[in-house]
Amino acid sequence: MNEIVVQLIAASLGSVGFALILKVNKKLLVYAALGGFITWGIYLLVYKYFPSLFIANFLASIFVGLYAEIMARAKKIPTTVFLTSASIPLIPGGRLYYSMAGLVFSDGAMFAENAKATLLIVLGIVVGLVVTAIFTKYFYKLINARGKI
């Protein structure tokens, strides 16, 4: 099977698995899978054309934020249900593990390389989610203000 297809399926399953841990309603698991699938697909696509950990995670997390906002309004539940499960594929677990392994085993090169990558990934995720939160806040404020006129 194609490596990209395997990654997309793994991202979907990871999102569903995390949603199950969080006891998300079983009816919403398909949306958790879809969120993880598309999030990782965006990451792979962006990284292919702009090989930057920050940019790929930034743009993928913008999608996560927008997806969570749209799905939360459509399903009338909190955004965190979709935000948490759809962002799971972006979490830099392996990089963080190797950063700590480099630190524990006194391998400065391993630590530096993986810690830098971890920080870039986390920064991309955080900035993307903050940008989305600010955008949606002012978007809904504008919509509400126009509705009152």
Side-chain angles (χ1 to χ4, degrees):
M1 200 182 313
N2 189 348
E3 180 183 333
I4 293 173
V5 173
V6 171
Q7 288 185 35
L8 293 170
I9 291 170
S12 298
L13 293 176
S15 294
V16 168
F18 205 84
L20 287 170
I21 290 171
L22 294 175
K23 299 186 185 331
V24 170
N25 187 327
K26 303 264 189 279
K27 295 175 186 173
L28 301 173
L29 293 179
V30 69
Y31 301 111
L34 181 64
F37 183 91
I38 297 173
T39 298
W40 194 245
I42 290 171
Y43 170 84
L44 291 174
L45 186 65
V46 171
Y47 193 79
K48 180 179 179 179
Y49 294 105
F50 302 100
S52 164
L53 290 174
F54 176 80
I55 292 173
N57 282 283
F58 171 71
L59 293 176
S61 68
I62 285 177
F63 164 76
V64 170
L66 293 174
Y67 179 75
E69 286 289 336
I70 292 167
M71 293 306 297
R73 294 206 181 262
K75 297 296 176 185
K76 296 180 179 31
I77 59 174
T79 58
T80 53
V81 171
F82 300 105
L83 190 68
T84 306
S85 59
S87 64
I88 288 301
L90 300 177
I91 305 300
R95 292 287 191 160
L96 184 58
Y97 172 82
Y98 287 114
S99 297
M100 292 300 105
L103 189 63
V104 169
F105 296 121
S106 300
D107 186 343
M110 176 194 249
F111 171 73
E113 176 187 341
N114 287 291
K116 178 184 173 192
T118 301
L119 290 174
L120 286 172
I121 292 167
V122 169
L123 190 61
I125 294 169
V126 169
V127 172
L129 292 176
V130 168
V131 165
T132 306
I134 291 169
F135 171 78
T136 55
K137 176 183 176 181
Y138 287 108
F139 176 76
Y140 290 123
K141 218 178 220 188
L142 180 66
I143 295 296
N144 288 336
R146 286 189 178 192
K148 292 178 184 176
I149 294 176

